[in-house]
Amino acid sequence: MERNLLKNKIEYGIGMICFILVCILVLAPMLLMVVNSFKSNSEMLRNDSGLPEVWTLESYKSLFTTYSSLVKHFYNSIIISIISTICGTFICTLAAYAFAKYKFRGRESIFYVLLATLMIPSEVIIPGQYLFFAKLKLINTLAVQILPTIPAVVGVYMIRQYMLGIPTSLIESAKIDGAGHMRTFVTIIIPSAKPIISSYMILHFLDVWQNYTWPLLVATKQNIMPIMVSLPTLVDSVIGFVPVWGTIMAGSVLCSIPLIIVFLLNQKAVMESVILGSIKG
Amino acid sequence: MTKKITLVLLVAFVCFGTLFAAATPEKEGNPSIEMLMWGGADRLNYLKTIYEKTTSLSSNEMANITFTSGGTGATDSYQLFRLKLASNDAPGIVFFGGETAATEFIMNGDILNITSEVKDQMNDILPSAVDLASYKGEVYGLPTQVKSKVWYYREDLFREAGINVGEIKTFDDFYSAGMKFKEHFPEKYFINLGPTPNVDVVIGWLGSYDNLTIADEAGNFRITTDPRFRDMYEKLYKLATAPFSLYVSDWDSDWQPNIENGTIASLLSWSWMTEFLPSYAPNQSGLWAITAWPEEFGYGGCAELISIPTATSNKAASVEVLKTLYLDSDGAVLRFKENGLLPVTYSGVEKVNAAVADIAATASSTSPLGYFGTGMVDDIFATMKYATKYNSDPSFNAEEAIIENHLNLMITGIETIDQAIANTQKDLIMQVGNPYDI
Amino acid sequence: MKVTNIREKIIPYLFLSPFLVFFLVFFIYPALNSFYISLTSYKGYGQAKWVGWKNYHAILHYDVFWTGIRNVLTYWVLHAGVMMIISFTMAFIVSSPKYQKLSRLKVILFLPRVIAPTVAALIFRAVFSSNGLFNTVFGVTIPWFQNDTLTKIVVAIILVWRDFGYWFVVFVAGMTSVNPEIIDASIVDGATTMQRIFRIIIPLMKNILKFALIIDGISSLRLFSIPNIIVGQPGALSPTSIGPVMNLLVQNIQQGSFGRASAVGWLLFIMISILTVIQMTAVRDTEDL
């Protein structure tokens, strides 16, 4: 018994150490990013891993002076992500509601066809999308970065799964009270599906925010670039410039910390929706 | 609570962004010319200043120049140009890193023929520049400069090692000079040649053979049939694996540090390196000298070609900007002062020669003239006599990428020289098909 | 009566229509169009020329394509196993009752997921630079970015770092769905922790694990930003020995060969379909047991 207890304790200790170790490994690069952002660009070239010799806000200042375009790009990213999130969540919720709570012809088949298209990765259709938007003369606008990201089958799926759990009696009692379809949707469905809607919004926002391949191809003009595309351009060793690592790190902090805060505030809901979205086999 | 913070953050983002989102004000009414080029916008922003200083137009007729960068490499601008054509968004002026890249567009009718527009200035433009900017006798743009193949070397180190560049004529001379250098400086490297030879290296070597085209006129590729390709592959392999050559490619992130710390003693490069070297190794001002590549592989040249797309909206304004920037002799002096590029007109050359002493007097040690000394102008002109045009077919961009790829595989040892040659031919046939069929 | 009936019938379609319109216009149409283009030679302007299956033929005979596939496989092999082990172990620790207090901290493990791949690649350049964090901490001088194999390892490390939190969350959910009575019974029977993991939990979670491996394989095929940013500037590198297969697609667009680019895309789709079919049959097999 004694031996068992000891063994249990050792096991417990090993588990604890493993967990803490992994946490440190996870956090270290992020801390490094923050620490590095307090170094000057010239110090970053000598010392890109230790503590700053001089703690300075120079890199952050450069974001607003020499590299003020980054702030503009940051703003573009925000506009793109917010518009896409709002529109995307709205139309996905509408569709999810139809799939979850209405019976209509073709419901199953449409739904399964949509699910099947999940197998087509968005990268496959990039050439077709590019030519389509080129024909509309929309390349190098904010719209071209927003529009294709709006419809997301995953969103419909996730929200529908959640809505299936909303009791139909709620909807029926609203109808008896004389509420129309849209009113039922707004007053009953949206409030009761709020947890999934808000966590899907965060997932969608993250998705659009982190998008790289598509904007890289369609956003080549400085004034509409998102920050994800413009940040790596500062690494450039080609044009005879020395990379400005301090500024890059400050930019990275700028576009990571707000997301981390939003995520931390809504962590539970987001992680639940991750589970909902992942198990669809 | 959670919701409130999220909301506050959201509002803060939007306010914050709006504050800084104010776009740069544009002058109303003036024609707007978008220049599509490569590299950072800062590097070419001086063009705008030069234009505004030298144009004969009044300030409200002046074009409003904006810059769009395709990316960091010379290939990026024409790639973006294609995409811009595809999206009906042709720029006012397009920069081609090399005139070989423009062939495809010229043949396709995407580039404006400006022969009649420059007719009056024709006598002033250097013949080699006209040649580089022409296709089948018609002029399709202006070169920023005639790019010649320049061998930059550390005069001090070469002297100490007892190497006289004037005596190096052949490849074997070059190789033994490298060995001699390595014996003298075991820690340093004679040249650098890394795993990814880029377009400059490829054109540099292709051009050194007399009329070595990738395909014959019927569109048959000649990599396996023309022994000179094997010669080129072998030489590059020999150089890359030589003990005196540092295994770092041009433009690689390790390239500049190794120049700066003095590990690389010479660069087989192009005349535009005059612009970069002073900022790459500011500590070595006055130590670098300029000469042509050894004669055996010394011929070949190209030009950064500045052209006007046929599809652009304001052709007249584009032509005016182009001519002001590259044919005006005062502009030539300003450009020379900025980055050491030599003019392409006789009048420009004359003015630059006259101004050299003045510029040198005030030049800092990190400006090209202060860095290389006043002899630089003559040295570079001397290399220009080897600058011959490389005859590229319209699929050159795709072909060059394939050659680059197999040179990479050969140098990294994944393919033998034989395999590299055979596979280049195979890929060209399979991927490009008929080079004239575009 | 009849009018309202029709109206009632239309309502669900009205709810559905905004999504369907967006989806058809911005997804289905481009998808079909890109399939058509893949059978032509098209620069994006001028005339598209019908070439049939030539684009597919050319790509399948292009070693850069196969190098891309090989690289993607390498990335997958290098990171998937390690990642699964880490996320599984962490999930096991966190979900066992002894470590109840840790469950509040599990959010930390998910955090890297919030960092964009672009930013992750930029951060890790500082970690693995020649005098970076890794080399300093371990007192070594490994030239991470001078050697293709080492660079691939760096990419794999970033992938593990960024993605394991996701699977961790999924596995935790999977483990909580394992009936606690079975586990309690096994503890009473005197099963060791290892026995518990290998005899009970892994068999019960087999499907989730398989699912995770395949989905992770699919996302490896779509890899693009991290390997490119870690070694160079934005955009697709010219064919190098570390480029993933997506590079070929992006390059073909940048070179204005939309036909080729589409063909690469559809070949990618075929590979993903094969993986999906494998996943489905694998899952079905275990269900039969």
Side-chain angles (χ1 to χ4, degrees):
Chain A
M1 200 60 210
E2 188 110 309
R3 230 182 102 227
N4 250 349
L5 214 71
L6 186 71
K7 219 182 115 193
N8 270 347
K9 266 200 176 148
I10 292 176
E11 255 182 41
Y12 180 81
I14 292 175
M16 211 51 177
I17 290 171
C18 278
F19 186 82
I20 292 171
L21 197 72
V22 171
C23 279
I24 291 175
L25 288 179
V26 161
L27 290 177
M30 287 189 237
L31 278 179
L32 185 70
M33 163 179 85
V34 176
V35 168
N36 280 348
S37 71
F38 288 105
K39 295 174 190 166
S40 64
N41 283 329
S42 51
E43 188 182 339
M44 269 303 282
L45 291 176
R46 295 194 303 278
N47 165 24
D48 59 3
S49 57
L51 284 174
E53 290 153 13
V54 193
W55 290 81
T56 163
L57 287 174
E58 207 180 284
S59 298
Y60 286 96
K61 261 185 226 151
S62 72
L63 282 183
F64 296 97
T65 51
T66 329
Y67 297 97
S68 61
S69 55
L70 275 186
V71 179
K72 167 82 178 144
H73 300 154
F74 179 70
Y75 181 66
N76 289 338
S77 280
I78 288 185
I79 296 281
I80 293 162
S81 314
I82 287 182
I83 295 181
S84 166
T85 306
I86 293 173
C87 299
T89 314
F90 183 67
I91 63 166
C92 286
T93 315
L94 282 177
Y97 176 49
F99 281 125
K101 293 295 167 194
Y102 282 99
K103 284 202 173 63
F104 54 92
R105 264 179 72 185
R107 181 175 80 163
E108 305 296 308
S109 41
I110 298 178
F111 189 64
Y112 286 111
V113 167
L114 284 185
L115 281 192
T117 60
L118 276 177
M119 265 173 54
I120 306 178
S122 54
E123 286 84 353
V124 171
I125 61 166
I126 283 180
Q129 265 177 336
Y130 191 99
L131 292 173
F132 175 66
F133 284 105
K135 233 173 259 162
L136 297 176
K137 294 200 179 190
L138 281 179
I139 299 293
N140 271 322
T141 57
L142 289 178
V144 71
Q145 300 172 68
I146 298 171
L147 289 172
T149 59
I150 289 178
V153 178
V154 185
V156 177
Y157 175 80
M158 269 166 58
I159 301 173
R160 171 191 174 260
Q161 291 305 88
Y162 189 91
M163 282 182 176
L164 288 177
I166 300 174
T168 318
S169 55
L170 260 181
I171 302 167
E172 266 155 21
S173 62
K175 275 196 185 140
I176 291 166
D177 289 348
H181 293 275
M182 204 57 205
R183 205 146 141 228
T184 319
F185 177 73
V186 174
T187 56
I188 308 287
I189 298 299
I190 291 190
S192 31
K194 217 170 176 181
I196 187 71
I197 293 178
S198 59
S199 54
Y200 174 71
M201 280 178 97
I202 292 180
L203 287 183
H204 190 106
F205 189 93
L206 280 181
D207 231 34
V208 181
W209 184 270
Q210 302 183 345
N211 213 347
Y212 178 71
T213 318
W214 175 245
L216 175 78
L217 288 167
V218 296
T220 45
K221 268 200 182 127
Q222 279 289 323
N223 57 342
I224 47 93
M225 249 185 209
I227 190 153
M228 284 306 147
V229 174
S230 72
L231 207 52
T233 57
L234 298 182
V235 180
D236 216 331
S237 54
V238 169
I239 39 176
F241 285 142
V242 185
V244 281
W245 279 108
T247 307
I248 294 170
M249 286 298 135
S252 304
V253 171
L254 179 73
C255 59
S256 304
I257 297 296
L259 295 184
I260 291 178
I261 294 172
V262 172
F263 167 71
L264 286 180
L265 293 174
N266 301 280
Q267 42 168 303
K268 220 173 152 215
V270 175
M271 294 214 273
E272 267 160 25
S273 62
V274 163
I275 297 159
L276 207 59
S278 71
I279 304 174
K280 49 183 178 246
Chain B
M1 184 59 193
T2 308
K3 258 180 269 164
K4 267 188 194 157
I5 298 179
T6 315
L7 202 74
V8 167
L9 269 174
L10 209 81
V11 173
F13 278 174
V14 176
C15 298
F16 178 71
T18 325
L19 273 177
F20 291 95
T24 43
E26 282 187 19
K27 277 177 261 169
E28 291 269 327
N30 298 11
S32 209
I33 302 289
E34 182 193 7
M35 278 198 176
L36 174 60
M37 40 116 213
W38 59 279
D42 316 11
R43 186 167 81 84
L44 288 179
N45 259 328
Y46 72 91
L47 286 178
K48 192 170 174 165
T49 327
I50 293 174
Y51 169 72
E52 280 161 7
K53 272 188 191 163
T54 50
T55 182
S56 53
L57 298 178
S58 67
S59 71
N60 45 7
E61 290 168 320
M62 236 185 246
N64 189 13
I65 299 177
T66 56
F67 294 100
T68 303
S69 175
T72 49
T75 50
D76 296 324
S77 69
Y78 71 76
Q79 296 196 339
L80 184 59
F81 181 52
R82 276 206 205 94
L83 295 182
K84 277 181 160 295
L85 289 178
S87 47
N88 294 313
D89 180 28
I93 287 175
V94 58
F95 283 54
F96 292 104
E99 88 291 344
T100 45
T103 318
E104 164 195 339
F105 300 97
I106 293 172
M107 269 201 56
N108 207 36
D110 302 326
I111 300 295
L112 196 67
N113 182 340
I114 56 167
T115 317
S116 55
E117 278 85 355
V118 294
K119 195 172 62 221
D120 299 339
Q121 287 91 346
M122 213 53 161
N123 290 331
D124 191 29
I125 309 176
L126 303 178
S128 54
V130 176
D131 183 40
L132 283 162
S134 310
Y135 184 77
K136 295 190 175 154
E138 305 285 313
V139 182
Y140 286 94
L142 292 173
T144 49
Q145 64 163 345
V146 176
K147 293 192 200 177
S148 48
K149 286 157 72 176
V150 172
W151 185 16
Y152 297 87
Y153 63 98
R154 283 282 299 274
E155 212 172 5
D156 52 333
L157 299 179
F158 272 40
R159 200 182 311 121
E160 213 183 313
I163 296 166
N164 181 359
V165 290
E167 289 165 3
I168 301 174
K169 301 276 183 218
T170 64
F171 182 82
D172 294 330
D173 292 346
F174 186 78
Y175 197 90
S176 44
M179 296 304 278
K180 192 172 165 193
F181 180 87
K182 191 70 192 166
E183 261 167 45
H184 204 89
F185 295 105
E187 301 292 312
K188 293 186 187 297
Y189 291 89
F190 190 56
I191 53 164
N192 71 287
L193 187 60
T196 47
N198 64 358
V199 58
D200 307 324
V201 177
V202 174
I203 297 194
W205 286 88
L206 280 176
S208 56
Y209 299 91
D210 187 29
N211 200 19
L212 178 65
T213 56
I214 298 171
D216 63 23
E217 261 127 56
N220 300 314
F221 292 108
R222 300 164 49 172
I223 309 292
T224 45
T225 50
D226 193 322
R228 290 178 299 172
F229 279 102
R230 165 173 287 277
D231 188 58
M232 172 184 151
Y233 276 53
E234 275 170 355
K235 278 179 179 160
L236 276 168
Y237 183 77
K238 215 173 157 194
L239 281 186
T241 50
F244 56 75
S245 110
L246 182 66
Y247 193 57
V248 166
S249 304
D250 294 5
W251 309 117
D252 192 279
S253 54
D254 280 340
W255 194 43
Q256 183 268 336
N258 276 309
I259 299 175
E260 191 178 13
N261 67 23
T263 308
I264 300 174
S266 83
L267 306 166
L268 279 180
S269 186
W270 292 77
S271 50
W272 36 251
M273 201 56 205
T274 313
E275 182 185 349
F276 296 107
L277 202 50
S279 62
Y280 268 32
N283 53 344
Q284 294 159 21
S285 181
L287 301 180
W288 287 85
I290 292 169
T291 186
W293 286 28
E295 209 173 307
E296 190 191 313
F297 46 102
Y299 284 92
C302 68
E304 183 173 38
L305 192 66
I306 320 296
S307 299
I308 299 167
T310 349
T312 193
S313 49
N314 197 339
K315 295 191 184 82
S318 295
V319 171
E320 195 271 331
V321 172
L322 194 65
K323 281 163 75 175
T324 310
L325 279 177
Y326 294 105
L327 296 182
D328 187 281
S329 50
D330 292 323
V333 176
L334 289 171
R335 284 194 299 127
F336 174 73
K337 212 168 158 180
E338 181 70 35
N339 55 20
L341 294 189
L342 291 179
V344 290
T345 56
Y346 288 114
S347 58
V349 172
E350 203 174 296
K351 274 213 176 156
V352 166
N353 274 329
V356 162
D358 278 350
I359 299 173
T362 54
S364 73
S365 65
T366 53
S367 76
L369 203 56
Y371 195 86
F372 293 103
T374 43
M376 164 191 133
V377 181
D378 293 335
D379 289 345
I380 291 187
F381 269 120
T383 65
M384 274 188 202
K385 67 171 183 272
Y386 298 102
T388 48
K389 186 179 167 159
Y390 179 72
N391 284 319
S392 56
D393 58 60
S395 296
F396 182 77
N397 297 326
E399 295 163 353
E400 189 274 324
I402 288 171
I403 294 179
E404 234 177 78
N405 178 28
H406 285 288
L407 286 177
N408 165 255
L409 293 173
M410 177 186 77
I411 291 174
T412 49
I414 297 171
E415 286 179 348
T416 63
I417 297 175
D418 291 318
Q419 281 168 337
I421 291 168
N423 289 339
T424 310
Q425 175 88 355
K426 195 190 98 197
D427 276 1
L428 285 171
I429 294 170
M430 193 58 98
Q431 306 302 323
V432 180
N434 187 332
Y436 294 95
D437 185 19
I438 53 166
Chain C
M1 189 63 206
K2 220 177 168 196
V3 176
T4 44
N5 209 352
I6 291 175
R7 251 192 64 181
E8 288 295 307
K9 275 192 175 161
I10 291 176
I11 294 292
Y13 297 106
L14 285 181
F15 275 110
L16 211 53
S17 56
F19 181 85
L20 283 186
V21 167
F22 266 86
F23 192 68
L24 286 174
V25 173
F26 297 122
F27 195 92
I28 299 295
Y29 171 71
L32 294 177
N33 193 22
S34 88
F35 182 69
Y36 167 72
I37 296 165
S38 76
L39 302 173
T40 64
S41 159
Y42 188 41
K43 278 195 303 248
Y45 57 98
Q47 276 298 308
K49 209 164 44 185
W50 182 265
V51 295
W53 300 100
K54 209 180 126 201
N55 287 326
Y56 292 89
H57 185 73
I59 287 162
L60 290 173
H61 285 86
Y62 195 20
D63 62 325
V64 173
F65 176 75
W66 295 108
T67 315
I69 300 278
R70 224 178 11 252
N71 289 339
V72 163
L73 273 177
T74 318
Y75 289 130
W76 186 68
V77 168
L78 281 175
H79 92 276
V82 179
M83 184 172 84
M84 292 302 155
I85 291 170
I86 296 179
S87 10
F88 186 84
T89 319
M90 289 298 115
F92 180 72
I93 292 174
V94 169
S95 60
S96 71
K98 279 186 289 188
Y99 298 97
Q100 201 99 63
K101 54 186 165 188
L102 286 185
S103 66
R104 286 176 65 90
L105 292 177
K106 67 183 177 196
V107 62
I108 292 179
L109 302 185
F110 192 80
L111 265 187
R113 197 66 190 181
V114 183
I115 308 262
T118 317
V119 174
L122 291 172
I123 300 175
F124 272 82
R125 293 243 315 206
V127 176
F128 289 102
S129 66
S130 48
N131 57 348
L133 193 63
F134 186 94
N135 284 358
T136 317
V137 168
F138 293 95
V140 287
T141 47
I142 301 175
W144 290 102
F145 298 120
Q146 313 306 321
N147 175 307
D148 288 341
T149 318
L150 290 173
T151 311
K152 280 179 192 165
I153 292 174
V154 173
V155 173
I157 291 174
I158 300 177
L159 289 173
V160 172
W161 179 77
R162 221 182 83 79
D163 290 349
F164 91 94
Y166 178 82
W167 294 113
F168 160 77
V169 171
V170 174
F171 290 164
V172 168
M175 281 187 198
T176 29
S177 67
V178 172
N179 189 347
E181 277 170 28
I182 303 178
I183 295 178
D184 286 344
S186 73
I187 294 176
V188 173
D189 286 349
T192 63
T193 315
M194 282 301 151
Q195 281 170 335
R196 224 160 63 223
I197 293 177
F198 286 106
R199 301 251 171 91
I200 300 167
I201 297 180
I202 290 188
L204 281 174
M205 287 184 56
K206 219 173 186 172
N207 275 351
I208 300 184
L209 286 171
K210 276 182 191 163
F211 168 78
L213 273 178
I214 301 286
I215 295 293
D216 188 55
I218 291 177
S219 62
S220 300
L221 276 175
R222 300 167 61 180
L223 201 61
F224 177 67
S225 60
I226 294 175
N228 284 307
I229 292 175
I230 201 83
V231 288
Q233 321 96 40
L237 294 168
S238 50
T240 52
S241 28
I242 71 150
V245 68
M246 267 296 290
N247 275 19
L248 195 60
L249 190 149
V250 173
Q251 270 158 14
N252 270 312
I253 292 187
Q254 289 178 334
Q255 287 160 11
S257 0
F258 283 90
R260 287 287 158 84
S262 310
V264 176
W266 284 102
L267 287 173
L268 213 59
F269 167 72
I270 292 172
M271 284 182 289
I272 290 176
S273 312
I274 292 171
L275 281 179
T276 315
V277 169
I278 293 175
Q279 182 218 339
M280 282 173 164
T281 43
V283 172
R284 194 169 303 131
D285 279 353
T286 46
E287 270 166 2
D288 289 344
L289 284 172

